[in-house]
Amino acid sequence: MDRAQAQANLLLKIRTGSQLYGTARPDSDEDFAGVFAPLAPWVYGMRRVEQVDCGHVAKDAAGKNTAEAIDFTAYEVRKFARLALDNNPNVLELLFADAPNVVHVTPLGQRLLDGRGLFPHRGLVKRFVGYATSQRHKMRIRIQHYGALKDALAWLDEQHAANPSISLAEVKGHREALSQKPPPGFAWKASHAQVGDQSYGYHERVKNVRKKVGARLASATNRTVLFERHGFDTKFASHLIRLLMECRELVQTGTLVFPLAYADELRAIREGALTMPEIEARATAIEDEIRAVTNSPLRTKTAFDEVDALVQDIVRDHLEGAV
C-alpha cells in the first residue's frame, strides 16, 4: 500500500545513473529516483514512511536484471531533504538533473528543484571523497574476491563429484583422504569455512554451498569480462573518477551540469582505456585540484533553516491542497 500511496503523491521522478551522466550505452538500463509528499497520518501519527521501493524486479536464469527490470527508489520529501542537505552524492545530484531526465514534476516538486542552491556546502568534499574512496577500495579488491570464488567453486565441484552428499565438516575432517587441498580463496576457520568474501557454516552440504557460490558469481557475470580483461572492475573505477570530478565541479562552480562534460572520459575508463595505476594517479590528481580551491562559491555551512522552511511549505501546501 505504501508503494501505491508514494506513487500517487509523487512530486518528482528523475532518470538517474548513466542516462543522467551521459555515459549510457545502447544496452544500459534506465534507473529512477523520486520524491513523494507524505500523507497526513505519516506526519501527525506514529507511523513514518521515509523510503519506498517502486521498482520492478525481473531477472534471467543467471540472476541478472533483464530489460524489463526497473530500479526506482522514492524518498519522502523530508528524508530526501535531509540526505541532500547532508550532501549525499546520490541524492544531491538529483537536484541538478537536466530537463530531459526529469520525467515527472509537480509544482511542489519544481519548488524543491528551484531551491537546489540551498543544499550544497563545503562539507560535500568530505562526503564525495569518502564515497569515491569506497569505490577505489572496491575497484582494488573485487577482482580478488571474484578469483577466489571462481577457484573455490571449481574445488567444491571436485568434492561434490567425489561424494554428492558430503558436508563441509566431512570435507574438513577427511581432506587428507581426499588428497585435495583447498585453493587460497577457501579457508577453514574455527566456526565456518571462508570462501572468498562469503562464509558458510560447517553443517552445510557441499552441494548447497556450490549453489550459493555459483549464484554469487552469477550476480557478477555482467562484469566478468571486465575482471578478466583488465584485472580490476572498471565500473568502480569509472564511479571513482566521476565522484571526484563532480566534487571538483561543485567546489569550483557551486553547481552540477548534466549531462556531464566529462562523460566521454568516464565512458573510456569504463571500457578499460586506463590501467589501475593510471586510475589511481588520475584520482589523486583530481583530489589535489579539489583541495587547491580556495575561493569556492559554496556555502561554508549548511542552510538548515532555509531548507527547513522550504520543506515545511511543501508539506503544508501538499496537505492543504494548496496546489
Side-chain angles (χ1 to χ4, degrees):
M1 194 63 177
D2 292 342
R3 177 184 175 122
Q5 291 170 332
Q7 290 183 312
N9 292 275
L10 204 63
L11 305 180
L12 282 171
K13 183 177 181 180
I14 295 171
R15 190 179 290 108
T16 65
S18 61
Q19 305 287 346
L20 176 63
Y21 305 143
T23 59
R25 299 174 299 179
D27 60 344
S28 294
D29 296 332
E30 281 195 336
D31 298 331
F32 299 91
V35 181
F36 63 90
L39 301 179
W42 302 347
V43 176
Y44 304 119
M46 296 177 63
R47 193 158 171 265
R48 296 288 183 271
V49 179
E50 294 193 326
Q51 183 173 328
V52 178
D53 183 356
C54 296
H56 174 68
V57 177
K59 295 184 180 294
D60 59 20
K64 295 192 295 182
N65 285 339
T66 66
E68 291 73 34
I70 299 174
D71 187 351
F72 177 19
T73 300
Y75 302 93
E76 197 259 288
V77 63
R78 290 171 294 176
K79 179 172 183 179
F80 178 87
R82 288 197 302 271
L83 292 172
L85 193 59
D86 196 33
N87 286 181
N88 177 300
N90 295 330
V91 172
L92 182 65
E93 67 184 17
L94 300 176
L95 291 166
F96 298 90
D98 55 324
N101 284 306
V102 180
V103 298
H104 171 79
V105 58
T106 67
L108 291 179
Q110 188 60 53
R111 197 182 300 177
L112 185 62
L113 291 178
D114 291 343
R116 62 176 65 85
L118 297 173
F119 292 89
H121 53 83
R122 296 185 190 182
L124 68 78
V125 171
K126 182 177 180 180
R127 296 305 306 275
F128 273 75
V129 172
Y131 271 61
T133 298
S134 72
Q135 299 301 305
R136 183 185 296 210
H137 181 62
K138 290 176 181 178
M139 175 187 72
R140 290 169 175 168
I141 68 173
R142 202 59 172 268
I143 184 61
Q144 297 169 354
H145 287 164
Y146 171 76
L149 288 167
K150 190 175 180 181
D151 292 344
L153 182 60
W155 184 77
L156 288 165
D157 285 343
E158 295 174 354
Q159 311 313 308
H160 181 260
N163 185 345
S165 64
I166 198 168
S167 68
L168 285 178
E170 291 171 318
V171 172
K172 183 175 184 291
H174 298 86
R175 60 185 185 276
E176 291 182 0
L178 290 169
S179 70
Q180 294 175 336
K181 292 183 178 180
F186 191 108
W188 303 112
K189 302 293 184 179
S191 60
H192 64 275
Q194 189 72 32
V195 187
D197 58 348
Q198 305 289 294
S199 60
Y200 299 96
Y202 286 130
H203 65 281
E204 294 208 52
R205 299 282 176 186
V206 167
K207 65 178 181 180
N208 294 328
V209 176
R210 286 174 64 244
K211 289 180 181 179
K212 293 175 182 178
V213 173
R216 177 76 171 81
L217 280 168
S219 69
T221 53
N222 61 327
R223 298 207 294 276
T224 297
V225 174
L226 302 181
F227 294 153
E228 297 183 339
R229 181 181 299 165
H230 307 295
F232 66 102
D233 193 325
T234 57
K235 185 173 182 178
F236 285 124
S238 177
H239 287 323
L240 161 64
I241 300 303
R242 174 184 57 78
L243 284 161
L244 292 175
M245 285 183 155
E246 286 181 337
C247 181
R248 181 183 62 186
E249 184 176 353
L250 280 161
V251 169
Q252 291 177 341
T253 70
T255 190
L256 277 176
V257 177
F258 292 103
L260 297 171
Y262 30 91
D264 288 345
E265 180 178 351
L266 298 177
R267 193 181 300 109
I269 290 171
R270 175 71 167 75
E271 294 171 357
L274 300 181
T275 64
M276 186 184 291
E278 288 171 333
I279 294 293
E280 297 273 14
R282 185 80 177 103
T284 298
I286 300 170
E287 285 188 48
D288 290 343
E289 291 178 27
I290 292 169
R291 295 190 175 94
V293 175
T294 58
N295 58 343
S296 173
L298 290 176
R299 296 168 180 265
T300 57
K301 59 182 181 180
T302 63
F304 179 87
D305 291 340
E306 294 92 329
V307 170
D308 185 51
L310 172 63
V311 173
Q312 285 189 50
D313 287 345
I314 290 173
V315 172
R316 181 176 56 252
D317 288 352
H318 172 74
L319 295 177
E320 294 178 354
V323 291

